Amino acid sequence: MRRRPFPSAKPARFFWQGLLILLPALVLAGAGFYSLREEEVLARHEAEEQAKQIATELAQRLIPQALRFEVPGIAEAGRLPATWEAEVLHRLRRSPLVETACLFDDEDALVYPPAAAGMPWPAPLDEAELSPAQQDGWLALETAWQLGEASAERDLATFLALEPPARFAAVARFRTAQALVALGQEPAAIGLLQSLGELPPEVVGESGVPLGRLAAWRLAVLLPENDRLGLLHDLAGRLVLEPSPAADAFLSKIVPLHPALHGWEETREVHESARKFAAATTSVPSGEVMVVEPRTLWPVIQPVVGGRWILGVPLDALAQEVVRLDRSMVRPAAFGVAVTAGTHPLLPLPADSPVLARSVCGAPPMTVEVFLKDPAAFAAQRRARTLRFATLIAMSAGAVVAGFFAAWRAFRRQQQLSEMKSNFVSSVSHELRAPIASVRLMAEELEHGAASSPEKTRQYLGFIGQECRRLSSVIENVLDFSRREQGRERFDFEPTDLAALVEETAALMRAYGSERGVRIEVIGRGQPEPVNADGRALQRLLVNLIDNALKHAPPDSAVRVGWEFAGSMVSLWVEDDGPGIPRQEQTRIFERFYRVGSELRRQTQGVGLGLSIVKHLAEVHGGRVVVRSEPGQGSRFTVELPLTRESMTAPSSLPSPLSS
Ligand code: ADP
């Protein structure tokens, strides 16, 4: 059978444990600090990315969407509307963002609103264009018109049957209708005028005014009020869509005829300002605002098949719209948005604000910039966050380092304790071996009759008794300690005469003292009174103190043992003229197994338990032990005990000394 090897006596080391505690913590802390630094860069990058998204969203989606209008194509724009409300510019202007608009074709010719023609130019009829028969017909007609003859209608039919040139035919119809009106033959006149309604605008009368318009106007006046509104709308619409100074004059006559026509006057003005705007778009450099009184306009180009609309958006309305769009977006509070139309700021960029992202949209271009509102506050916020995490990391690392030192201390204490225990084992063995050897030696001598005289025999027996008492003192200490370890201590508290106890103990120790050539003197002060105490325990306390004093006192010196009753306290003290105890050792000597100096150089005997027992017993009695000592000037150990009964606590409530 293989036996397990006995654990080696190699001293335990704390290297790997320490490394395993410290290394991961330090690596983690390092990684934490590194990623904090990285995070700083990442945060900046992230902010820029976020800003870019906001700028793109606003410039590429929201603003173009808001500035996209429902515009008609080229063909639809020129169509005559039924009423002025349905007119193209009126419809476009319903949006608060459209002040005016114009439509150019691909050749940059203005399609809408139509360009205004000049003053009508008189266009006299040239009778030379007529055949002789037609000339006769024409003459007859002219006579009938001038004389107001009822034959005019018949003469017209004759003339038209000769198929004269179109313009002569139209003028003939119109003037005949006028003559018929003068004759009071209105129904006939209406019929004639209606046949002229569809004449193209190029067919003008001798005054140069389009004949179709004149006919429509006459017709409208002749028709009953209820029937003429449609015709008037039609006429007014044509006049607005074929503008000229004559058309304007006409319009101002037509509009008062019915309240529903007022809008056409307004439409004419709207067209007029749209024409100014159109003229401005060709003269103002692209990307600049245009002033079309009373507003400043931003041109927005919207292409259609075969041309493009240019819509004039008032800057103030555009700024309001941009503010609305900006508000509709979800964005971090630290970001601000600046929008510039051409060179004109709609949402201004505050000075010294770092721009994180920029995006440009439309033609002419609008620029959207996203900036940091308060760079200092933003940086402070970031710094505070970093600081919080850095503190957390530092605290965790600190806790690990503190834990490491605590573990290291515990390890060191454990190491010292085991060292002390092994010293204790060797000290106890030594303490036991020496007296046993001398007892055996003297017993053998007595057995072999080596003691020559009864005097010698008594001396030998005295020595044997001494050694046995020493032995039992050592064993008593060890047993005390072991009982304490196991929590088996028992104390019997009863009124005890301390003065007598001190005398008795001193007397007990005197023999040992004289063996070492040291006297024991007892000094008492104050009025002695019974103390509630465990007499045996207090005696063990005194024995230990006197034993130490005797061990360290120089030969021919005195050890003074005393008691003193003062107020509610009684103190027991033991004083010697020994070598004293260095200050730094004075607290440690009360630890169990602790002995001053190295094992090899120490001259006194002992196992390092005496003072720990003294301290324990003093505490059991509700008191304490103090040492006053200077190297070379002796030592004085004082045990202070309270006289009150309550302060003497039951020993079972005390913790085991090894459990601390
Ligand atoms: P030990 O069995 O070694 O005497 P103690 O616990 O009684 O153990 O004492 C602890 C240490 O205190 C001793 O090793 C000794 O060095 C020191 N000591 C105790 N009493 C005295 C004293 N009266 N004078 C000098 N040193 C003392």
Side-chain angles (χ1 to χ4, degrees):
M1 191 179 109
R2 269 191 73 197
R3 293 185 61 185
R4 278 163 69 95
F6 195 76
S8 82
K10 225 166 88 180
R13 292 182 62 196
F14 192 64
F15 179 76
W16 289 110
Q17 292 92 324
L19 203 67
L20 283 174
I21 295 173
L22 278 186
L23 200 66
L26 292 180
V27 168
L28 279 180
F33 280 120
Y34 177 74
S35 57
L36 272 186
R37 220 178 61 102
E38 285 290 286
E39 209 204 36
E40 192 77 354
V41 180
L42 272 179
R44 175 99 201 151
H45 184 69
E46 203 176 287
E48 278 170 4
E49 277 298 306
Q50 222 175 347
K52 205 153 114 191
Q53 265 177 21
I54 294 167
T56 312
E57 169 79 357
L58 205 55
Q60 308 301 326
R61 201 174 74 80
L62 294 179
I63 292 181
Q65 233 167 46
L67 295 181
R68 190 174 311 277
F69 304 100
E70 275 208 20
V71 288
I74 288 188
E76 197 195 330
R79 211 167 287 151
L80 185 67
T83 63
W84 58 270
E85 280 111 331
E87 205 277 327
V88 173
L89 266 176
H90 261 292
R91 268 191 295 148
L92 283 173
R93 274 165 51 89
R94 273 186 213 131
S95 159
L97 286 175
V98 179
E99 171 70 16
T100 186
C102 55
L103 173 63
F104 288 94
D105 65 13
D106 283 341
E107 268 81 51
D108 285 338
L110 182 64
V111 175
Y112 195 88
M119 280 293 282
W121 198 253
L125 291 165
D126 183 3
E127 289 176 22
E129 291 174 23
L130 301 175
S131 65
Q134 290 168 337
Q135 282 179 2
D136 290 344
W138 181 253
L139 198 64
L141 265 177
E142 277 193 320
T143 317
W145 296 334
Q146 275 159 20
L147 299 177
E149 287 173 354
S151 63
E153 203 177 353
R154 205 178 51 248
D155 291 339
L156 174 69
T158 314
F159 179 67
L160 293 179
L162 294 170
E163 294 182 351
R167 196 159 159 247
F168 273 91
V171 172
R173 277 202 195 99
F174 181 74
R175 292 191 62 181
T176 305
Q178 273 183 312
L180 290 174
V181 171
L183 287 169
Q185 295 176 15
E186 283 164 4
I190 288 173
L192 274 179
L193 289 171
Q194 276 171 338
S195 72
L196 290 172
E198 292 309 319
L199 278 182
E202 318 73 86
V203 182
V204 294
E206 285 185 288
S207 63
V209 175
L211 218 48
R213 306 291 171 269
L214 279 176
W217 155 243
R218 291 279 176 219
L219 187 61
V221 177
L222 289 178
L223 285 175
E225 263 195 26
N226 289 344
D227 296 350
R228 65 180 172 199
L229 187 60
L231 191 68
L232 287 174
H233 266 306
D234 189 63
L235 181 58
R238 281 175 201 279
L239 290 173
V240 170
L241 292 178
E242 290 154 18
S244 72
D248 290 354
F250 240 154
L251 195 65
S252 55
K253 280 188 182 157
I254 290 167
V255 167
L257 293 178
H258 199 283
L261 297 173
H262 281 294
W264 284 112
E265 190 75 27
E266 192 190 319
T267 309
R268 192 188 65 81
E269 281 160 25
V270 167
H271 277 220
E272 195 50 47
S273 90
R275 268 189 288 276
K276 279 189 205 156
F277 175 66
T281 57
T282 52
S283 59
V284 173
S286 140
E288 257 318 314
V289 292
M290 275 169 248
V291 180
V292 178
E293 289 301 339
R295 303 181 87 171
T296 311
L297 304 177
W298 172 250
V300 172
I301 297 176
Q302 200 168 319
V304 288
V305 181
R308 67 187 188 284
W309 276 94
I310 303 179
L311 299 115
V313 179
L315 268 191
D316 47 358
L318 185 59
Q320 271 177 24
E321 181 64 11
V322 166
V323 169
R324 191 186 67 78
L325 293 175
D326 177 35
R327 290 215 181 112
S328 73
M329 288 182 70
V330 182
R331 60 173 166 79
F335 290 176
V337 168
V339 181
T340 314
T343 55
H344 194 94
L346 299 176
L347 280 179
L349 176 71
D352 297 334
S353 299
V355 174
L356 294 175
R358 181 175 287 121
S359 184
V360 177
C361 66
M366 278 173 76
T367 312
V368 173
E369 289 164 310
V370 177
F371 61 89
L372 261 187
K373 265 188 191 161
D374 188 349
F378 188 73
Q381 205 180 334
R382 292 229 56 79
R383 256 201 313 278
R385 211 174 103 93
T386 309
L387 204 70
R388 255 199 322 274
F389 280 109
T391 316
L392 216 67
I393 293 172
M395 272 166 60
S396 313
V400 171
V401 171
F404 166 80
F405 280 111
W408 185 72
R409 267 175 63 98
F411 170 81
R412 287 280 306 149
R413 275 191 66 79
Q414 221 39 52
Q415 214 177 24
Q416 281 168 358
L417 210 64
S418 81
E419 213 171 276
M420 282 182 198
K421 276 188 177 171
S422 62
N423 285 345
F424 166 74
V425 171
S426 70
S427 304
V428 169
S429 322
H430 183 75
E431 284 288 293
L432 296 180
R433 197 177 54 187
I436 287 173
S438 54
V439 166
R440 201 185 67 198
L441 198 71
M442 281 183 276
E444 278 171 4
E445 290 212 4
L446 282 175
E447 191 181 31
H448 296 122
S452 46
S453 61
E455 179 63 22
K456 200 79 177 163
T457 307
R458 219 171 17 255
Q459 198 184 1
Y460 270 32
L461 288 174
F463 278 139
I464 289 172
Q466 289 283 346
E467 289 302 313
C468 287
R469 264 195 297 279
R470 243 196 94 56
L471 272 179
S472 59
S473 167
V474 171
I475 288 165
E476 200 61 37
N477 269 357
V478 173
L479 282 178
D480 253 18
F481 174 73
S482 136
R483 272 197 291 271
R484 187 146 54 104
E485 288 281 274
Q486 293 165 3
R488 289 192 293 107
E489 276 179 310
R490 278 194 58 79
F491 294 91
D492 294 321
F493 285 78
E494 56 189 4
T496 309
D497 183 350
L498 268 194
L501 185 82
V502 172
E503 282 294 355
E504 194 183 309
T505 314
L508 207 69
M509 298 299 285
R510 267 200 190 97
Y512 178 47
S514 57
E515 188 186 311
R516 299 186 64 87
V518 180
R519 299 184 307 282
I520 297 179
E521 295 168 3
V522 177
I523 304 162
R525 286 201 198 99
Q527 182 61 43
E529 54 181 291
V531 174
N532 188 40
D534 182 324
R536 280 194 55 242
L538 284 190
Q539 190 167 52
R540 290 209 45 67
L541 180 152
L542 275 172
V543 165
N544 273 302
L545 287 179
I546 297 171
D547 187 51
N548 276 348
L550 291 175
K551 272 196 289 191
H552 294 94
D556 278 338
S557 67
V559 164
R560 292 164 293 281
V561 183
W563 50 261
E564 182 175 349
F565 284 86
S568 59
M569 298 291 293
V570 56
S571 20
L572 303 173
W573 49 268
V574 178
E575 195 179 64
D576 63 64
D577 301 326
I581 305 160
R583 190 159 286 271
Q584 68 275 15
E585 304 276 5
Q586 287 181 10
T587 47
R588 301 215 58 193
I589 51 176
F590 293 100
E591 292 173 15
R592 53 198 187 273
F593 309 128
Y594 188 80
R595 305 187 68 210
V596 177
S598 80
E599 284 303 315
L600 293 176
R601 286 188 284 117
R602 209 179 286 116
Q603 286 160 9
T604 56
Q605 293 174 322
V607 292
L609 279 178
L611 285 181
S612 88
I613 288 172
V614 169
K615 181 169 178 265
H616 173 63
L617 292 178
E619 283 168 357
V620 163
H621 286 80
R624 59 173 192 153
V625 53
V626 287
V627 56
R628 208 181 64 210
S629 175
E630 287 293 334
Q633 292 177 22
S635 315
R636 177 183 173 113
F637 286 85
T638 309
V639 177
E640 295 169 349
L641 302 175
L643 276 178
T644 48
R645 221 164 252 277
E646 298 73 48
S647 57
M648 303 232 175
T649 48
S652 55
S653 64
L654 281 169
S656 158
L658 266 193
S659 65
S660 61

